[in-house]
Amino acid sequence: WSSDVCSSDLVAATIFAPLWGSVSDRYGRKMMVVRAMGCGALLICLMIFVQNPGELLVIRILQGALTGSVAASMALVAATVPRERLGFAMGLMQTALFTGGSIGPLVGGQMDVRFGFQATFLTAALLLVVATVIVTVYVEEQFIPAAAQRDTPRRSLGTDARAILRDRQLALVIVVVCAVQFGGQIVAPILPVFVQALGGTTRNAAALAGNVFSIAGLCSAVTAVLVGRFMDRRGHFRAVLIAATLASALLNVPQSFVTNIDQLYVLRGLEGLALGGMLATSTTLLSLGTPPAWRGAAIGLSAGANAAGQALGQLSGSVVASTLGIRTVFLCTACVLALVCTAVTLGIKEPPTSENEVHTT
C-alpha cells in the first residue's frame, strides 16, 4: 500500500503534466498555478478524512492528475522573465524547490510526532491556500491567448508534443530531466536499509536517511541559483551540463564502497551540488530553446518526464537492490548518468542567442 500510494501521483503526473502545460499556453500560466495550488489544498484536506488505504490511493491519483504547481510556476516564470535573466530565474526556482523539499520532510516528521498526521495535512493545505492567495493577488501576467494571435494554427496536446519533440536538442534535454530524477530517486527505497547496514539502528535509520536527503537537497539549492547566475553572465550552458552530469556519475561510484554514515553524508552532499547544476541548466536550456508561446507545453513535457523518472527510479531501486544487492544500486546510477553525459556531449549545443533564432528554429 505504501509503495502504491507514494508512486500513484507520479504515474498520474506523467500522463497529465504535459496536458496542463499545453493548456497553459492557450489560456494563461497564472490560471494554471492557481488551479494547481487550489486543487492541491482541497485534496490534502480530504486526506484527513480517509478511512482506508484505498481512499487515500484515489486521492493521491487525483493529486497527480490535478495539481503540478511546480511545473505551472516554472512555466509562468519562463513566460514573464526577460531572456537575459532566465538562467538566474530558473536557478532560483530550483533553489526554492530543493529548499522546500529538504525542509518539508523534517518539519512534517516533527509535526506528526508532536501533533498527529491530521494537523500535518491541515498545515500543508493551509500553506497552499496562502500561496494561492499570494499568486492571485500579487502576480501579474500579460497573456495574449493563442486564439487572438494571427496565423496561429489550431493546437492540441498532440501537435504541441510533436512540435517540441521534433527538435532533437529539446527532446534530449527532456530525457536528461527524466534521467536526473531517475538517478536521484533510485536510492530512495533502499537508503534507510543501507543506513542501517552502515551502523544505524532500526530506531534511527529513517531519521539518518532523512538527513542524507536533506543534505543533498540543501546543497542542490545552493548550486542551482549560483549556476543560474553564472549562465546568465557567461553562457557555457552545454559545458556546465556536461560537467555536472559527469561529476554526478563519478560521485556515485565511491558511494557503493562507503563504510560509515559520515562518508555517505559527504558524497551525497557533493552529488547534491552536481544535481542542482544539472536541473538548473536543463530547465534553462529547455526554456531558451522554445518559443515563448510553446514554453508551457515544453515545461509540461519536462514535468511529465520528471515524474516518470522518479517513479521508474523508485521501482528500479527496489528491484536492483533485491536482486543484485544494495551497493549495486549506486553503480547502476553511475552507469545511467554516464550514458546521459555521453548523450549531452554528442547531442546538446549552446542555445540560440535571441528569440528570433528560436522562432526560426
Side-chain angles (χ1 to χ4, degrees):
W1 276 114
S2 178
S3 175
D4 290 343
V5 167
C6 288
S7 62
S8 57
D9 68 319
L10 296 174
V11 175
T14 302
I15 298 169
F16 284 91
L19 172 63
W20 290 123
S22 184
V23 170
S24 74
D25 285 335
R26 294 195 288 276
Y27 299 104
R29 285 83 180 201
K30 177 180 175 179
M31 181 189 301
M32 293 298 103
V33 177
V34 173
R35 182 267 312 160
M37 290 183 174
C39 289
L42 176 61
L43 290 169
I44 291 176
C45 277
L46 291 177
M47 291 180 187
I48 298 174
F49 304 102
V50 297
Q51 300 297 314
N52 56 68
E55 294 176 358
L56 182 60
L57 178 64
V58 171
I59 294 176
R60 288 284 288 175
I61 293 172
L62 291 174
Q63 189 177 29
L66 299 178
T67 59
S69 56
V70 172
S73 299
M74 286 190 172
L76 177 60
V77 170
T80 55
V81 170
R83 181 181 178 83
E84 63 272 12
R85 294 181 60 82
L86 192 56
F88 176 71
M90 290 292 102
L92 198 60
M93 290 292 292
Q94 291 291 345
T95 294
L97 178 61
F98 284 125
T99 302
S102 300
I103 297 174
L106 296 177
V107 175
Q110 291 299 317
M111 286 194 64
D112 181 51
V113 171
R114 296 173 183 273
F115 306 109
F117 70 87
Q118 292 94 340
T120 307
F121 282 131
L122 182 59
T123 302
L126 289 175
L127 286 171
L128 283 172
V129 169
V130 171
T132 303
V133 173
I134 291 173
V135 172
T136 303
V137 175
Y138 293 106
V139 175
E140 296 183 4
E141 180 189 17
Q142 302 297 325
F143 179 73
I144 301 176
Q149 302 175 17
R150 293 184 177 182
D151 303 323
T152 300
R154 184 176 180 83
R155 293 174 57 179
S156 65
L157 173 59
T159 57
D160 286 357
R162 286 193 295 271
I164 293 166
L165 295 178
R166 272 199 299 266
D167 187 315
R168 187 178 68 176
Q169 176 146 320
L170 292 180
L172 183 55
V173 171
I174 291 172
V175 171
V176 169
V177 171
C178 180
V180 169
Q181 291 300 332
F182 179 91
Q185 290 296 317
I186 191 172
V187 301
I190 59 95
L191 199 55
V193 180
F194 187 53
V195 166
Q196 190 172 341
L198 292 176
T201 66
T202 54
R203 295 186 60 183
N204 68 2
L208 292 175
N211 292 340
V212 173
F213 280 118
S214 296
I215 289 171
L218 292 174
C219 288
S220 297
V222 173
T223 309
V225 68
L226 294 178
V227 166
R229 173 70 77 177
F230 173 83
M231 290 187 298
D232 280 342
R233 293 180 174 178
R234 303 290 182 87
H236 304 300
F237 297 88
R238 177 176 177 272
V240 171
L241 185 56
I242 292 172
T245 309
L246 179 60
S248 185
L250 293 176
L251 285 166
N252 268 278
V253 176
Q255 289 180 57
S256 181
F257 303 99
V258 297
T259 56
N260 59 66
I261 189 66
D262 291 332
Q263 294 172 355
L264 188 62
Y265 282 154
V266 172
L267 290 171
R268 293 298 291 180
L270 292 173
E271 188 185 357
L273 295 175
L275 180 63
M278 291 170 67
L279 287 177
T281 309
S282 57
T283 306
T284 305
L285 281 171
L286 191 68
S287 299
L288 289 176
T290 310
W294 297 78
R295 281 180 183 159
I299 291 177
L301 285 172
S302 175
N306 188 310
Q310 291 185 56
L312 290 172
Q314 292 177 10
L315 176 63
S316 300
S318 300
V319 172
V320 171
S322 62
T323 55
L324 301 177
I326 293 177
R327 293 180 181 270
T328 309
V329 173
F330 297 102
L331 298 178
C332 290
T333 305
C335 292
V336 170
L337 291 171
L339 291 174
V340 172
C341 183
T342 303
V344 170
T345 303
L346 297 176
I348 295 290
K349 301 177 181 178
E350 283 293 297
T353 57
S354 68
E355 295 288 0
N356 291 333
E357 291 185 43
V358 177
H359 284 289
T360 301
T361 303

